[in-house]
Amino acid sequence: MEFQKSTVYQIYPKSFADANGDGVGDLKGITQKLDYIHQLGADYIWITPFFRSPQRDNGYDIADYRAIEPMYGTMADFEALVQKADALGIGVMLDMVFNHTSTEHEWFQKALAGDETYQNYYIFRDGSPDVPPTNWQSKFGGSAWAYVPHLKKWYLHLFDTTQADLNWENPVVREELKDVLRFWKAKGVKGFRFDVINLISKPDVLEDDLTGDGRRFYTDGPRIHKYLKELHRDAGLGDVLTVGEMSSTSLENCIRYTDPQEEELNMTFSFHHLKVDYRDGEKWKLQPVDYRKLKDLLETWQTGMAEHGGWNALFWCNHDQPRTVARFGDTRQHWRAAAKMLATLMYLMRGTPYIYQGEELGMKNAGFTAIDQYRDVESLNYYRILTQEQGLSSEEALHILAERSRDNGRTPMQWTAEPGAGFSTATPWIGLSVDSAGICAETQVNDPDSIFTYFQQLIALRKAEPVVGNGTIEFLFSQREDIFAYRRTGQGQELVVLCNLTGQSISGDFVPLVQDMQRQLGNYPDVKELAQNQLRPYESVVYLREVSPAQLE
Ligand code: TEU
């Protein structure tokens, strides 16, 4: 299936479905739920890492790229999963964490034992114990360097201390990683998501960052395009779907990463639109969503990528983000309308949708109120930093965590209305969302007005109407902060999407825009208000018409 028409469903295995009753989701659980994903209409599933790992960062700390972490199951379970997915026409995408390995990986263990060949797999620097080689900061807080006393050396870790950065300048490392890709391709894997792949190329000389945390030296680094081309060529990435997770990237680079002629990746995740509620650009400082900025960023990326042959992954959330409806919509009176509107806004743009487990049900944030409810290493680190280093009270820090913690997206998937939400028969590894009542797959799959059913219709529309996959995009009402609207054109069709971003009714010249068009979707059951040039709170509507080439002029 062409990636332009495809939809990807993201699974965080730990929190998806627990088949063996130990409180942790597993591969068998995923296999059991493939019919549900098929019913939704997704073409691919991206499963976040389930490889052997000490789980400091829930699998993003990989100790063996070719082995399955026992709590998730066995290789036979994985093969059964791929077989069933194949039968349903669903491609399996794996998450390749190639910027770093766990410090428990055999390579790092050999490096620690003094083997220089393996020390050269990582970024080690000599130095005295009290002065790190540079002042770079870890993304999870604190210095990006850790000292190994018996070696008298520091190693670089852009994330947790147990996630040591690999040395991509070493060609042997690159060969090792290509082999990992070949291994999984041979198992029938149809795509790869590359974790923070734009951070892999570090400069030859590492120096202090006098104006920032170091990211400007290694983000979209010096040899990044060369390395991606090499991976594409040598691991045969041309016949699978590829998406790169790009941390703090630029539009120019994302165009290059995804321009088909460059032969690097099919598409990229960029995160600028998910920082519009960061005060001073800082994740741990709250501010209300700046919708003006959100609109500008989405428009810039849509238009910029389209003009230069790039391709966006379309997404509102993932396992690192708060829940979409809580962050950008409304969790109370207009919960259902807001969840549907946000899906409409994002997933009919030009790009490939990535729906994160539970988003199709309108799942809400965790609602945790005590630090011992949190599991995420980043959240726990920042709680300490906020309270011990920045002087916030525990209440203030917990308030920030409740908005920002990655655990908001990691609470168990809500399958049924039973206690435990049908995720597990045991106590789950992380608590359910406190707002889970009344939100579950079991009731939504058979309800024609549910968020699930709406997602189903939206995905079906993408597949049925060629303009969604291949049309151009033009934004309407660019100057207005209360409405997000656009027109897609191409393939002999025209599609208009109007979304009210607010909890109030808004008015405008909406009717002329959709004259002679057929209504395809709406998150309110009737069309009454639009006829009066109004959109109700969080209302969204989608109209389509067939056009002859002459009419398009
Ligand atoms: O995330 C990369 C990343 O930088 C973030 O989304 C990060 O969680 C956030 O910016 C911190 O504020 C990827 C994975 O998606 C994430 O789960 C891993 O923890 C991280 O890489 C390290 O592998």
Side-chain angles (χ1 to χ4, degrees), residues 389-456:
E389 293 173 23
Q390 298 183 14
L392 269 63
S393 69
S394 161
E395 289 70 36
E396 288 166 326
L398 286 170
H399 175 64
I400 295 174
L401 253 56
E403 295 285 329
R404 292 291 145 86
S405 169
R406 306 196 297 181
D407 282 340
N408 283 309
R410 299 178 179 185
T411 61
M413 176 72 175
Q414 293 155 207
W415 295 105
T416 68
E418 297 153 358
F423 163 73
S424 174
T425 50
T427 306
W429 70 278
I430 188 170
L432 282 167
S433 159
V434 299
D435 265 335
S436 62
I439 306 176
C440 69
E442 192 180 44
T443 50
Q444 290 201 25
V445 287
N446 297 314
D447 171 0
D449 191 37
S450 70
I451 298 168
F452 178 89
T453 303
Y454 189 87
F455 269 74
Q456 225 177 10

Side-chain angles (χ1 to χ4, degrees), residues 12 57 60-61 97 100 139-140 159 163 193 195-196 199 245 247 271 278 283-284 318-321 378 406 410:
Y12 196 65
D57 189 18
Y60 282 91
D61 47 332
V97 188
H100 44 265
K139 310 256 179 202
F140 290 165
F159 292 88
Q163 292 167 302
R193 178 257 190 195
D195 190 62
V196 290
L199 307 186
E245 189 206 24
S247 166
F271 291 88
Y278 289 12
K283 173 169 176 170
W284 304 99
N318 59 31
H319 62 292
D320 296 331
Q321 301 288 331
E378 184 198 40
R406 306 196 297 181
R410 299 178 179 185

Side-chain angles (χ1 to χ4, degrees), residues 238-251:
D239 55 5
V240 292
L241 189 147
T242 54
V243 56
E245 189 206 24
M246 302 297 169
S247 166
S248 302
T249 188
S250 69
L251 179 56

Side-chain angles (χ1 to χ4, degrees), residues 8 21 23 57 79 95 107 113 117 129 149 164 197 222-223 237 250 255 347 352 355 364 394 416 464 493 502 508 544:
V8 183
D57 189 18
E79 286 160 358
D95 207 322
W107 301 336
T117 302
I197 198 70
R223 280 168 290 273
L237 296 182
S250 69
I255 290 167
Y347 301 131
T352 299
I355 294 165
K364 301 176 185 174
S394 161
T416 68
Q493 298 182 311
T502 77
L544 178 82

Side-chain angles (χ1 to χ4, degrees), residues 61-62 111 119 140 186 224 245 256 279 297 305 324 350 361 401 468 487-488 508:
D61 47 332
I62 297 177
Q119 286 175 6
F140 290 165
I224 181 64
E245 189 206 24
R256 270 184 83 185
R279 183 155 51 87
L297 282 164
M305 291 289 259
T324 313
R350 184 179 169 281
L361 305 175
L401 253 56
V468 186
R487 183 187 289 122
R488 308 286 317 272

Side-chain angles (χ1 to χ4, degrees), residues 60-174:
Y60 282 91
D61 47 332
I62 297 177
D64 184 344
Y65 288 104
R66 292 178 180 79
I68 289 169
E69 171 60 32
M71 84 183 170
Y72 291 124
T74 61
M75 193 57 88
D77 293 338
F78 179 71
E79 286 160 358
L81 190 163
V82 172
Q83 202 176 14
K84 171 129 195 234
D86 268 349
L88 292 170
I90 297 175
V92 174
M93 292 172 72
L94 297 190
D95 207 322
M96 295 289 116
V97 188
F98 283 177
N99 177 68
H100 44 265
T101 74
S102 163
T103 49
E104 289 188 18
H105 194 289
E106 189 189 354
W107 301 336
F108 196 84
Q109 288 300 312
K110 286 183 176 164
L112 281 187
D115 186 333
E116 285 182 12
T117 302
Y118 287 96
Q119 286 175 6
N120 198 29
Y121 272 43
Y122 296 91
I123 303 174
F124 277 95
R125 289 289 182 272
D126 294 329
S128 71
D130 29 61
V131 195
T134 69
N135 66 349
W136 297 1
Q137 295 295 297
S138 151
K139 310 256 179 202
F140 290 165
S143 170
W145 294 94
Y147 190 66
V148 185
H150 73 270
L151 295 177
K152 298 195 172 56
K153 287 178 195 293
W154 295 82
Y155 68 88
L156 180 71
H157 63 88
L158 294 183
F159 292 88
D160 188 57
T161 45
T162 64
Q163 292 167 302
D165 279 53
L166 282 164
N167 176 16
W168 274 70
E169 316 311 314
N170 179 350
V172 182
V173 168
R174 305 205 294 275

